[in-house]
Amino acid sequence: MEQQLDGQKPVQKASPEMIHSLFLINHSGDIFLEKHWKSVISRSVCDYFFEAKEKAEDPENVPPVLQTPHHYLISIYRGKLFFLSVVQTEVPPLFVIEFLHRVADTFQEYFGECSESVIKDNVVIVYELLEEMLDNGFPLATESNVLKEMIRPPTILRSVVNTLTGGSNVGDTLPTGQLSIIPWRRAGVKYTNNEAYFDVIEEIDAIVDKSGTTVFAEIQGVIEACVRLSGMPDLTLSFMNPRLLDDMSFHPCVRFKRWEAERVLSFIPPDGNFRLMSYHVSSQNLVAIPVYVKQNISFLETGSCGRLEITIGPKQTMGKMVEALMATIHMPKSVLSVSLTASQGSYTYDITTKILIWDIGRLNPQKLPNLRGSLSMQTGVPKPEENPSINIDLKIQQLAISGLKVSRLDMYGEKYKPFKGVKYLTKAGKFQVRT
Amino acid sequence: MSTAALYNDQGAAEAAVEAGQETTPTSSSSGAAFGLFSTDFKKNEDLKEMLESNKESLKLEAMKRIVQLISKGKNASELFPAIVKNVASKNIELKKLVYVYLVRYAEEQQDLALLSISTFQRALKDPNQFIRASALRVLSSIRVPIIVPIMMLAIKEAAADLSPYVRKTSAHAIQKLHSLDPDQKEQLIEVIEKLLKDKSTLVAGSVVMAFEEVCPDRIDLIHKNYRKLCNLLVDVEEWGQVVIINMLTRYARTQFLNPNINESLLEEGSGGEKMFYGSDEDEDEDEKEKKAEAAAIAKRKPYVMDPDHRLLLRNTKPLLQSRNAAVVMAVAQLYFHLAPKAEVGVIAKALVRLLRSHSEVQFVVLQNVATMTIKRRGMFEPYLKSFYIRSTDPTQIKVLKLEVLTNLANETNISTILREFQTYIKSMDKDFVAATIQAIGRCATNIGEVRDTCLNGLVQLLSNRDELVVAESVVVIKKLLQMQPEKHSDIIKHMAKLTDNIQVPMARASILWLIGEYCEHVPRIAPDVLRKMAKSFTNEEDIVKLQIINLAAKLYLTNSKQTKLLTQYVLNLAKYDQNYDIRDRARFVRQLIVPTEKSGALSKYAKKLFLALKPAPVLESPFKDRDHFQLGSLSHLLNAKAGGYQELPEWPEAAPDPSVRNVEVKESVPEWTKCSSREKRKEKKVEKPFYSDSEGESGPTESADSESDSASTTDSASASVSEESESGLESESEEESETEEEEEDKKEKKNQKKEPKKPVQESESEQSSEEEDRKPEKRSKKLKSDSESDSVEDEGSESESSPSESEDFESEAVVTKKKKAAESKPPSKSVRKEEKKEKKEMSLLDLDDFEPTPSPQVTPVNTLLSNSLATDLEGLSLSDSILSPATIIPSGALKNYELLHRITGEGLSVEYCFSRQPFSPDANMVAVQLQFTNNSTSDTKNLHMEDVRLQSGMRVKEFPEIELLPAGEMTSAVMGIDFCDSTQAANFQLCSHTKKFFVSIQPPVGELMRPVFLTENEFKKEQGQLMGMNEITEKLTLDVKCRNEHAIVQRVTTAANLSRVPCGSDKECRFAGRTVTSSSLVLVTVATREEGAAQLMVNCEKMVIGTMLVKDILLALTQ
């Protein structure tokens, strides 16, 4: 049946390109954009996807790779949108997945967000971008520095001017990027204020069990860079304690060889924002867990109610303030409503998703935040077997919890003195307390 | 889905109007979807008018609206004539949008499309490369058969274009043309062949892509480009890397030998881990046979890895650090399919890292990890905890992680895993709970020790409130009980009782089957269950009914007295069931078990039929054997062959001729580096590709400035030697390998030269003569140049330290050498030495060039070299040459300690020394060389270690058993000890076939470290970070004999395994090392003052080590 729907002409042979078509699908299952790099594939191919989506209930559970009689569907879920690509032949699935994420990243960078409305508003630019990013199903230009030279990101002012004058979004000058000796950096960058900022952001992933012992903990970090430097600066970033880093991945600009030999990051940066490296802190080091959680959630055998009490206190905060503290609990289905008092902050309970969120804010070590009260349960249903786990969010400014420190940043190749800045931030990653 | 149907209707006329309505009503922004044009919708007529107007802005607006229509899947084909006129527009944006339109509709409107062709043909000659490229892109995207010849011509021209960007586009166009008209294949292959020779990193990925699509079987086209591709790889853009790596994986499978071919041999000699791998592969007969065969071949011809194979492995490894998950996965699969087992482990860390990425990436990676864990469990064991499951993971991820955890389970970690599983069982996600119960079942079948624990745990779940949990447990318990039913009749009884409560059909059916199968274990309960079931028969589900009939039949056969009537009753009920399967079954069973006149023949066998012993089910991973698909591929993920999938070929039995990859020397190297992006980098290593070869091998040394300087000086010297080329690698000389060789060569020379520096027991001349002996042939070849280049080089490499320092010793050495040289070859030497030399050469073949000179305090650089050597050797020959005693030449200069005295050992005496060689099976271990002497008159047999007692954390790698030590003979062996950076003794028993001796090895603190190479700046920087508590300073007066730099260096390096750090001042000597286990830096500075006064400073994170080291060095310098 698919064959009939499949297009105007019988296909001579399976077309060899990697990515044949792309469909963008919103949360409620409407296809709002399609792009074909070769012959048109009917939208009906997405029916297989919708079927799987229905089955999965949760969009996160839709299998990223689906097989249909004549095609394979590879999809990602980003910002409440599905990016669904159609391929016809063998291709490494990660290749397609990684590319789709790169497309989403590009939208994000161009439009500030990656949502249905924004894509619809900018559909022409989106189409132009997709045209440049893929040629015959094979990625052509995916570096944002290069793309931005060919297709200008929209600004409010420009779109107004364009309408009035009939101006365009396409760059007037043709790109040089593809041929620049540094493929990720555009040529002829000029700034009056030369600045380079680096954010060292670390996330603590942890599983803490009922008794408060850490089952598993590790630190994952990234260095996000925002570099606005004229010319062709050649930067060297070194650490006080590079030995902490156990495993890392780099932006293609980083010279791997020098890292191996000297443990310094040496690179010619792309222009603008980019992720310089991500790293994993050696698991031999003990991970400092900034907060402890005392909790007691119980469902009573008789009567349809339960009790909940949670207290959060500082554990190893390195003398810094814990901010943006938040606890999220997925309650069992039988919890109908909650009636709680929070000593600090506020809580919300969504009765449809059964998610309790307690937004605490700053952690005051003198007066520990506490949430207590009762849960009302559906009657006639046996008490839930399990206790829900608590997910913690938090932020600690000016601290990299692993102790990683940038020691210096040097610039070669340009004469001016750039302004340099490093910021540290620790966040909770997947931080889960089992109850 | 209803909307999807709506879209199919191609009502073109209403398209624009519809467009307004069909935007989602839920989306608040639907009105804004059209941005600035949302206010007025016009029909296509308007668009036509706008396109035909003279105003550029109107045309542009029209085109934008048309693109919007296309993006919604609307039909805009009728506008084709109006649009095609604008193809020659000067406005770039308008032009681009017209291109978009043309590509979409050209196939449908072929005649009209041809109108635009001439425009493209003109554009193909444009001076601007981007216009040329985009013209080719569009031209080749127009899928109209008539223009095939034009496309062909355009592609050929573009392939010869000066701009690599245009050439890249032409590679893409090849695939397009090929899919349009496969008859053009031969011509296209010619173009591919030409483009494969291209040296631009921009082109490489795309042309390999074209190769894969058009002629993947023409492996011969790759030969000449193989080395170039390997060397270019790090600089190719990410997407091209993936394609090239996948292609090279296939290539390598056809051209090289299986590096694991003699793994069985390897396993005997080394690591427990490897044993492990072997054991969890189930080997069926065939495989064993094959292995035996392989082993036989291997014995005849030891496996030596093709240098090109090594090149591939080395050049892909740095890409494990890529930010692109697809690249990491590609390298991982390459290592999995091509690397020697011992090296595959490096990919684990990178794959685990990907688990932090998007959930789709996790999904794919976990599938691949699941397959890998079946073959190579050991690799992921250290990362067990990274697969722990969070309640927030999507179910499909949870289930995959569970799969990995189950595959990783073994005797040692099962208790941790089961504890984790216990928390999972309480999850709210019921699908996940069910999967967990199955996982427990699998652990129980695979690991005998925990079978009972698991079973008990599962039985406890039977009283779980959740019916699904109970049902799943019943099903799993059923499988487990089948393995040993006699022991568990009480569980069967317990389950019999559950029939009252459990409603899940599958579970009820399982219980009934169990009772029927093992009715002799529950003779009383079984008939009772049947009675209850008979009562409820009509209300049961079909599968339960079938099992009731089954139970009835079995009971009738074993216990007909009690159950005859019940069975009749059940069968009668079943006879009138609605389901015909059940009716049929009832009829069939009745005929079989109730003897009548007619049925005679079969009923005799009824018992055999029903009560036959059933084989226990094997609980297997669904990922078993999936690795016959290339990992990382779509086919692997789906576990089914996808269209266009290229099978991964089996390894060849004998390697095809490696010389096909040789290329004319001149061509390859310099040019491609020129076009690669490196050129302008202001790096010292300008021509080195970016990551170039990653391995620690040359890494640290290269960074030293001196190195690169001296490289040029050495060039001439080593060129004349050019020894390594035996292997057929020849002087094609990818610059990588060559520089490496040079370095090694050079270092080696350095060693030789430095030897005279060490404290000499024998006379100096004798020593150098010994050294000459080691390589008489080579020496003779390079005699002259050698002695000269030596001194030059040395100044180069050590230039940072004071030149005067080296002069004293060097000149002497050089002179001696020269003298020797003049005397020329067979220098006088003892017969024994001669023998020794020969033996060594035999065993290591040509590799003795790299052999680290065994002398102990041979300067740090040397040990470093040997470090890299270890890896090299491992790669090159799989016979474990480091371990074999032949490689270690006992040297008088190593300090020997007594392990077992002749008297206490009743004739057997054992001495040990710390050989300072890297211990290849485990880098965290200190190599200890044992020397056994049998002074008795009888042979000693089966010398081995037993009963090792260690402080916690310490580990020992035992020396291989010595089968026979004849009376009066000596032999040596090497063992490894991980002292955990402490000076605690390792105690063990030394056993022979008759006796046991308690012995212990205690390391001096100086042996707990290995040298590292630091530059002066690095040293200072590191020192700056190890202040305060980590710094220990002592004043001392130097021993009279120890007042020159040479003596100090010599004494310090004897006391501790450290390396010299270059230093600008001649009043200071600096040394650096790292502790073996924790890799903590150890920095030593000796500053000399007048009159032999001096100051010793040790900086080390580990304060205990620091303190002890200060004592030892103090002692060494003052005595």
Side-chain angles (χ1 to χ4, degrees), chain A residues 16 30 34 38 43 77 90 117 120-121 131 168 174-175 179 181 205 240 255-256 386 389 430, chain B residues 7 24 32 71-72 93 128-130 137 179 213 356 390 426 634-635 643 677 681 690-691 1025:
Chain A
D30 301 317
E34 63 180 68
K38 265 214 156 164
R43 295 184 162 205
Y77 183 64
E90 171 65 48
S117 60
K120 280 180 166 174
D121 284 349
E131 190 72 35
S168 75
L174 284 161
L179 290 181
I181 39 156
D205 283 0
M240 302 279 265
R255 295 178 181 109
F256 185 74
E386 73 290 332
S389 49
K430 296 177 185 164
Chain B
Y7 295 146
T24 58
S71 79
K72 290 178 180 302
E93 183 166 26
N128 185 318
Q129 52 177 341
F130 289 98
R137 272 179 68 191
S179 74
E213 303 292 2
R356 284 275 302 173
R390 291 158 208 280
K426 291 187 195 147
L634 184 61
S635 303
S677 53
R681 302 242 171 124
F690 210 20
Y691 303 105
Q1025 288 169 31

Side-chain angles (χ1 to χ4, degrees), chain A residues 12 16 18 26 30-31 33-34 38-40 42-43 47 60-65 72 75-78 89-95 97-99 101-102 117 120-121 123 127-128 131-132 135-136 138-140 142-143 163 166 168-170 172 174-175 178-179 181 184 203 205-207 215-216 220 240 243 246-258 260-261 301 330 332 382-383 385-386 388-389 391 430 432 434, chain B residues 1 4 7-8 23-24 29 32-33 36 57 60 64 67-68 70-73 92-93 96-97 100 104 107 128-130 137 143 165 168 172 175-176 178-180 202 209 213 238-239 242-243 246 318 321-326 329 349 353 356 358 360-361 363-364 385 388-392 394-396 420 423-424 426 428 465 632-635 637-638 642-643 645 677 680-681 683 690-694 702-703 1025 1074 1101:
Chain A
Q12 292 117 322
M18 290 192 140
N26 68 15
D30 301 317
I31 304 170
L33 185 136
E34 63 180 68
K38 265 214 156 164
S39 54
V40 178
S42 157
R43 295 184 162 205
D47 290 353
E60 291 234 295
N61 266 327
V62 183
V65 180
Y72 305 96
S75 62
I76 62 162
Y77 183 64
R78 270 279 287 266
T89 50
E90 171 65 48
V91 56
L94 271 184
F95 186 98
I97 288 171
E98 187 78 22
F99 176 78
H101 277 293
R102 206 59 74 79
S117 60
K120 280 180 166 174
D121 284 349
V123 70
Y127 236 66
E128 284 168 348
E131 190 72 35
E132 289 302 332
D135 179 22
N136 193 37
F138 192 79
L140 189 62
T142 51
E143 285 293 339
T163 354
S168 75
N169 282 315
V170 177
D172 298 325
L174 284 161
Q178 287 284 8
L179 290 181
I181 39 156
W184 52 84
E203 293 192 354
D205 283 0
I207 302 176
V215 179
F216 169 74
Q220 307 279 352
M240 302 279 265
R243 266 171 295 146
D246 177 41
D247 177 45
M248 48 265 140
S249 65
F250 301 116
H251 188 277
C253 70
V254 175
R255 295 178 181 109
F256 185 74
K257 183 90 186 173
R258 281 202 65 194
E260 281 285 274
E301 197 70 53
H330 287 252
K383 79 161 194 161
E385 277 290 319
E386 73 290 332
S389 49
N391 293 297
K430 296 177 185 164
Q432 199 159 82
R434 291 175 177 170
Chain B
M1 246 166 284
Y7 295 146
N8 275 330
T23 43
T24 58
S29 58
L36 295 156
S57 59
L60 196 60
K64 282 183 176 173
V67 167
Q68 280 177 344
I70 295 174
S71 79
K72 290 178 180 302
I92 297 175
E93 183 166 26
K96 274 196 172 185
L97 296 178
V100 168
R104 166 71 182 77
E107 200 171 2
N128 185 318
Q129 52 177 341
F130 289 98
R137 272 179 68 191
R143 294 170 295 273
Y165 182 65
K168 184 187 178 73
H172 289 175
Q175 303 162 58
K176 299 184 204 172
H178 181 250
S179 74
L180 181 65
L202 208 54
M209 185 70 215
E213 303 292 2
E238 301 156 275
W239 313 106
V242 177
V243 177
N246 278 321
Q321 247 77 52
S322 170
R323 64 168 172 177
N324 187 319
M329 188 67 231
K349 201 189 258 181
R353 180 180 68 232
R356 284 275 302 173
H358 302 287
E360 298 87 11
V361 175
F363 179 82
V364 178
K385 286 188 172 179
Y388 279 8
I389 293 156
R390 291 158 208 280
S391 58
T392 40
T395 310
Q396 52 182 352
E420 263 304 289
T423 41
Y424 301 164
K426 291 187 195 147
M428 288 183 234
R465 208 182 308 253
S633 67
L634 184 61
S635 303
L637 192 82
L638 299 166
Y645 173 72
S677 53
K680 281 215 178 161
R681 302 242 171 124
E683 284 288 280
F690 210 20
Y691 303 105
S692 53
D693 70 277
S694 66
E702 258 179 355
S703 69
Q1025 288 169 31
R1074 281 184 190 279
E1101 221 169 47

Side-chain angles (χ1 to χ4, degrees), chain B residues 389 394-407 417-418 420-444 458 461 466 468-473 475-476 479 619-623:
Chain B
I389 293 156
T395 310
Q396 52 182 352
I397 301 290
K398 283 182 186 158
V399 173
L400 283 170
K401 282 188 175 174
L402 205 56
E403 174 67 36
V404 173
L405 286 174
T406 315
N407 290 344
I417 290 181
L418 283 181
E420 263 304 289
F421 283 0
Q422 251 160 27
T423 41
Y424 301 164
I425 284 172
K426 291 187 195 147
S427 164
M428 288 183 234
D429 184 342
K430 292 305 165 204
D431 291 338
F432 169 50
V433 174
T436 309
I437 293 170
Q438 282 170 11
I440 294 175
R442 250 175 62 204
C443 288
L458 290 171
L461 285 179
D466 192 291
L468 277 169
V469 173
V470 179
E472 199 65 46
S473 313
V475 176
V476 174
K479 289 177 183 162
L619 301 183
E620 264 182 356
S621 163
F623 288 89

Side-chain angles (χ1 to χ4, degrees), chain B residues 687-895:
Chain B
E687 326 71 341
K688 287 257 162 165
F690 210 20
Y691 303 105
S692 53
D693 70 277
S694 66
E695 270 152 58
E697 288 165 52
S698 45
T701 24
E702 258 179 355
S703 69
D705 304 2
S706 57
E707 232 26 60
S708 53
D709 296 347
S710 63
S712 52
T713 3
T714 353
D715 239 0
S716 56
S718 59
S720 67
V721 185
S722 145
E723 68 301 41
E724 276 80 15
S725 54
E726 292 103 316
S727 49
L729 199 165
E730 295 192 20
S731 44
E732 188 272 323
S733 74
E734 323 80 24
E735 78 179 339
E736 298 293 344
S737 64
E738 194 174 72
T739 37
E740 238 163 72
E741 276 164 26
E742 274 166 27
E743 255 153 47
E744 260 148 58
D745 187 24
K746 183 178 55 199
K747 271 181 227 154
E748 180 215 3
K749 273 186 254 153
K750 242 187 257 166
N751 300 341
Q752 293 165 354
K753 203 177 346 126
K754 278 181 192 158
E755 241 163 80
K757 278 197 212 167
K758 70 185 170 185
V760 252
Q761 267 100 351
E762 305 139 335
S763 81
E764 195 146 328
S765 65
E766 210 182 281
Q767 224 198 358
S768 56
S769 82
E770 182 187 14
E771 198 201 303
E772 297 281 52
D773 299 349
R774 247 171 242 144
K775 290 167 216 123
E777 309 97 314
K778 221 166 128 204
R779 286 266 140 204
S780 64
K781 259 193 249 161
K782 53 175 179 181
L783 275 178
K784 287 266 160 55
S785 65
D786 204 6
S787 49
E788 276 158 25
S789 71
D790 270 356
S791 50
V792 177
E793 229 178 76
D794 220 65
E795 259 156 35
S797 62
E798 294 198 346
S799 56
E800 277 180 31
S801 55
S802 63
S804 64
E805 168 242 340
S806 48
E807 223 60 87
D808 309 21
F809 321 102
E810 228 63 85
S811 52
E812 215 181 325
V814 171
V815 169
T816 6
K817 253 187 231 165
K818 271 186 181 155
K819 230 186 273 164
K820 285 285 152 199
E823 281 173 44
S824 97
K825 289 130 289 171
S828 56
K829 61 226 150 177
S830 72
V831 182
R832 223 190 98 207
K833 269 183 209 155
E834 174 91 64
E835 271 172 8
K836 204 200 282 168
K837 169 210 91 194
E838 253 164 33
K839 205 164 133 204
K840 194 180 118 211
E841 284 190 349
M842 294 283 276
S843 67
L844 285 170
L845 299 167
D846 43 331
L847 292 177
D848 71 334
D849 282 337
F850 303 121
E851 177 62 14
T853 1
S855 45
Q857 69 282 54
V858 190
T859 69
V861 189
N862 185 16
T863 333
L864 228 203
L865 163 70
S866 55
N867 246 327
S868 70
L869 256 170
T871 37
D872 250 11
L873 281 174
E874 256 175 2
L876 290 168
S877 91
L878 284 185
S879 66
D880 210 339
S881 39
I882 299 291
L883 266 184
S884 70
T887 55
I888 284 141
I889 293 100
S891 156
L894 281 172
K895 191 167 175 198

Side-chain angles (χ1 to χ4, degrees), chain A residues 234-307:
Chain A
D234 193 335
L235 303 180
T236 307
L237 183 81
S238 52
F239 299 99
M240 302 279 265
N241 36 12
R243 266 171 295 146
L244 278 173
L245 306 176
D246 177 41
D247 177 45
M248 48 265 140
S249 65
F250 301 116
H251 188 277
C253 70
V254 175
R255 295 178 181 109
F256 185 74
K257 183 90 186 173
R258 281 202 65 194
W259 171 259
E260 281 285 274
E262 304 163 52
R263 299 272 135 176
V264 297
L265 295 174
S266 155
F267 56 98
I268 295 175
D271 183 41
N273 297 320
F274 66 103
R275 175 170 294 180
L276 181 62
M277 77 182 289
S278 43
Y279 60 88
H280 176 259
V281 171
S282 147
S283 41
Q284 293 148 4
N285 297 31
L286 280 179
V287 176
I289 304 289
V291 294
Y292 68 84
V293 178
K294 261 201 217 157
Q295 42 74 29
N296 182 18
I297 303 175
S298 57
F299 304 106
L300 300 183
E301 197 70 53
T302 53
S304 49
C305 70
R307 318 215 109 262

